[in-house]
Structure formats: C-alpha cells, structure tokens
Amino acid sequence: MEQLFLPLLLMLVVAIPLVMGTRKQKRAVQEQQKLQSSLSEGDRVMTTSGLYGTVADTSSDTTIDIEIAPGVVTTWLRQAVREKVAPEVADEVETEDDAAETAEVTETVEAPKAEAGEKAAAPSLESEKK
C-alpha cells in the first residue's frame, strides 16, 4: 500500500494544475465567443492588432465592418476583435486660465545688451548656486 502512495501523490500534483488550466482556458474561449456574438453597430472595439474603430455593419456571420476613420470602413473577421472599449471622448477646449499659464511659461527674458565698448559680464557661479 505504501508503495502506491508516492506515485499517486505525484500524479495528483501534476494532474490538478493541468485540469485547472484547461478549465480556465475553456472559460476564456467562451467569454471571447460571447463577446464576438454580442457585437452590434456603434460599439467601439479594439482588434487583436491594436486597431481601434467603431463597428459599422454586423450583417455577416463571419465578418464585421469597422469604421477606423470618418468615411473609412474596413472588413474584419469577427475573431479579430479582442475587446470592447469605452467610447471615444472629444478633447476639452482650452480655457483662458490654461492659455494664460502656457503664455507665462513660454515667455522668454531677454538679457540686457552690452554697450559697444563694454564686455558682457558673465554671471558668477555663486549667484547661480543660490
């Protein structure tokens, strides 16, 4: 009896992670199929290649049309859709406060010009350290 205990224990140690891994993989495949079958026009999606677009047509069982830019529609396999993403949000308009802050940062200070006979004084290292 003791001779069978160690081999059975080793088989369990190997078999349990394999079974758990296949269950997780099956669940992921089911979720992906559910996503691909639930696509509808107007959904914002990302493909497996990282392309973002809006679903334009879902009339075919195997393909969908994705609008990647205004007026540019491409045909993709349904399996190429990786996930639905949040709708695209338009950039906010710059406010007057933001414009004033930007102007302050970009202002340049002009150094005084030296007279014709004078040399321009170099700033001392001590004043730069402060």
Side-chain angles (χ1 to χ4, degrees):
M1 181 78 175
E2 290 181 24
Q3 293 174 349
L4 294 176
F5 183 69
L6 186 60
L8 286 174
L9 184 63
L10 288 173
M11 289 179 64
L12 283 175
V13 167
V14 171
I16 290 175
L18 288 175
V19 170
M20 298 303 280
T22 56
R23 289 183 66 209
K24 184 177 178 181
Q25 200 171 24
K26 283 181 183 179
R27 193 176 321 121
V29 168
Q30 287 176 345
E31 288 177 13
Q32 190 68 19
Q33 288 175 345
K34 182 180 173 184
L35 166 76
Q36 291 167 357
S37 64
S38 70
L39 292 174
S40 61
E41 293 181 21
D43 288 343
R44 183 116 171 106
V45 295
M46 181 179 75
T47 65
T48 55
S49 60
L51 183 81
Y52 288 89
T54 305
V55 177
D57 182 29
T58 59
S59 59
S60 175
D61 289 339
T62 58
T63 62
I64 60 171
D65 290 341
I66 299 177
E67 184 176 22
I68 56 176
V72 180
V73 178
T74 57
T75 303
W76 293 76
L77 288 173
R78 282 185 182 262
Q79 288 82 9
V81 175
R82 175 179 288 160
E83 63 186 73
K84 287 184 183 180
V85 294
E88 188 174 346
V89 178
D91 293 336
E92 293 183 18
V93 179
E94 187 175 314
T95 62
E96 291 179 22
D97 295 336
D98 292 340
E101 288 176 14
T102 305
E104 288 175 10
V105 171
T106 57
E107 265 184 30
T108 57
V109 178
E110 295 183 20
K113 296 182 180 178
E115 297 282 327
E118 297 179 6
K119 291 185 180 179
S124 68
L125 292 176
E126 292 176 11
S127 64
E128 287 179 344
K129 289 181 183 177
K130 294 180 184 178

